[in-house]
Amino acid sequence: MYRYTKLSLLAIAIAATGAVAYAAKGGMENDALAISKAKIPLTQAVTVAEQHANGKASRAEYENSKQGWVYDVEVVSGAKVFDVRVDADKGTVISSAEDKADHDDDHEKQD
């Protein structure tokens, strides 16, 4: 029994060391700190998204996606809600889609 405990502790130590090394290399970048590298400010991205969807922004996030770093802006226009993605380097709209059910509430579970 003592042997298995010893092996388990060794495995945990190795995994923890690997996680620390990965984080130190920058594999776990903080989104809040990463925004300093964006070429356009959040306020400009919100303005672009509001103009594109003809509404008012209710939420905006800076996140890493398949397209690279983007601003994900939720815009309310009348009775509709749009998810507008704005390129963080160019300030152009990458995509825009109506969010009929507003399923993007996973951020509320974390709050």
Side-chain angles (χ1 to χ4, degrees), residues 59 61 74 102-111:
R59 179 186 60 80
E61 294 183 68
E74 188 174 86
D102 196 22
H103 290 291
D104 191 17
D105 288 337
D106 52 337
H107 60 84
E108 291 177 5
K109 294 174 188 169
Q110 298 171 359
D111 291 344

Side-chain angles (χ1 to χ4, degrees), residues 32-71:
L33 298 175
I35 199 168
S36 64
K37 298 175 187 171
K39 292 184 180 172
I40 67 160
L42 176 64
T43 53
Q44 183 178 342
V46 167
T47 301
V48 167
E50 286 178 335
Q51 290 173 350
H52 179 79
N54 194 29
K56 293 289 181 188
S58 64
R59 179 186 60 80
E61 294 183 68
Y62 184 68
E63 60 188 24
N64 200 357
S65 71
K66 289 184 271 184
Q67 295 94 5
W69 286 98
V70 297
Y71 291 103

